[in-house]
Amino acid sequence: GRVAQGIPLCIARTCQLLNRRHQAMPPLRAIVSIAGPWAIGKQGQLPCRNSEDLKRFKELTLGSTVVMGRKTLDTLPGGRALPGRRNIVLTRDDGFEREGVEVAHGISQVLTLVAHDPSVWVIGGESVYRAFLPYCTEVMVTRHEMDLPGADTYFPNLDELPGWYRSVEGPLQETPQGIAYRYEVYKNAR
């Protein structure tokens, strides 16, 4: 094929299409509750019960689209979709169905489904966070100042990932159980 500025034309066109598609995507954001060194769960449970964090989660995601894996859906009350939100579940199970959720079987399918949504939140679990983090513009983190012995799921360490930086570090607060926590915002500079 022909060459445009040293790049084969077919590659240049592919890059243009990908750039256009990426620009048309809504900003994806992730929201996560962590303990210690980026632990997000143990045997399907959150690091700790923090009612203020759960209220904040609801306020931020209400009226938005939430993207999650099937295991995360199973941990929600009754294993049901979150009310007041469009729920998309990413799963490899071709036969999976659940009332109130849309099912997707790949990242590109999810991106197509949310292409025109004004607000999209990635809410877990570990593999879903890892899959969508490159598409996220920011991550809202609730950092609990505690260890989670036996943790079996982790969020990628944003302090070590190229392109990510902490833009907000809120003041320390305390749960009714006496666990210190703070809200942080990480932004993707890419």
Side-chain angles (χ1 to χ4, degrees), residues 143-166:
R143 184 181 302 274
H144 295 90
E145 303 291 327
M146 59 176 275
D147 288 323
L148 187 62
D152 53 17
T153 50
Y154 292 86
F155 193 88
N157 183 339
L158 296 178
D159 295 316
E160 296 177 356
L161 283 180
W164 286 93
Y165 67 95
R166 185 176 12 206

Side-chain angles (χ1 to χ4, degrees), residues 112-189:
T112 299
L113 287 171
V114 303
H116 301 291
D117 292 7
S119 178
V120 181
W121 290 94
V122 178
I123 66 169
E126 180 179 1
S127 63
V128 173
Y129 283 133
R130 289 185 188 284
F132 286 96
L133 196 56
Y135 302 95
C136 289
T137 57
E138 67 181 9
V139 178
M140 309 296 262
V141 176
T142 304
R143 184 181 302 274
H144 295 90
E145 303 291 327
M146 59 176 275
D147 288 323
L148 187 62
D152 53 17
T153 50
Y154 292 86
F155 193 88
N157 183 339
L158 296 178
D159 295 316
E160 296 177 356
L161 283 180
W164 286 93
Y165 67 95
R166 185 176 12 206
S167 65
V168 175
E169 182 176 50
L172 269 179
Q173 301 177 58
E174 196 171 284
T175 68
Q177 298 82 15
I179 298 169
Y181 71 96
R182 75 175 74 227
Y183 297 123
E184 300 173 344
V185 179
Y186 283 79
K187 294 207 179 270
N188 189 343

Side-chain angles (χ1 to χ4, degrees), residues 12-26:
R13 283 192 180 141
T14 301
C15 289
Q16 287 173 342
L17 288 173
L18 287 173
N19 284 337
R20 239 184 267 134
R21 188 172 131 196
H22 184 70
Q23 289 169 353
M25 281 183 12

Side-chain angles (χ1 to χ4, degrees), residues 1-124:
R2 296 188 330 227
V3 175
Q5 296 180 11
I7 302 172
L9 190 56
C10 62
I11 293 175
R13 283 192 180 141
T14 301
C15 289
Q16 287 173 342
L17 288 173
L18 287 173
N19 284 337
R20 239 184 267 134
R21 188 172 131 196
H22 184 70
Q23 289 169 353
M25 281 183 12
L28 270 64
R29 294 177 287 179
I31 186 166
V32 64
S33 180
I34 67 168
W38 298 91
I40 59 173
K42 178 181 176 179
Q43 298 174 347
Q45 299 299 310
L46 290 172
C48 73
R49 290 285 295 167
N50 180 341
S51 58
E52 290 304 311
D53 187 33
L54 293 173
K55 283 184 214 171
R56 179 173 180 259
F57 174 89
K58 183 177 181 179
E59 289 170 7
L60 289 171
T61 63
L62 205 57
S64 300
T65 297
V66 292
V67 176
M68 70 191 97
R70 184 201 45 81
K71 290 179 188 174
T72 298
L73 176 65
D74 289 342
T75 67
L76 299 178
R80 293 189 306 263
L82 291 170
R85 301 159 190 92
R86 180 183 183 197
N87 290 253
I88 299 176
V89 173
L90 180 63
T91 179
R92 288 185 282 272
D93 182 352
D94 289 332
F96 180 78
E97 290 182 9
R98 185 86 45 98
E99 185 179 338
V101 304
E102 296 172 61
V103 177
H105 301 291
I107 295 168
S108 61
Q109 187 179 5
V110 171
L111 294 175
T112 299
L113 287 171
V114 303
H116 301 291
D117 292 7
S119 178
V120 181
W121 290 94
V122 178
I123 66 169

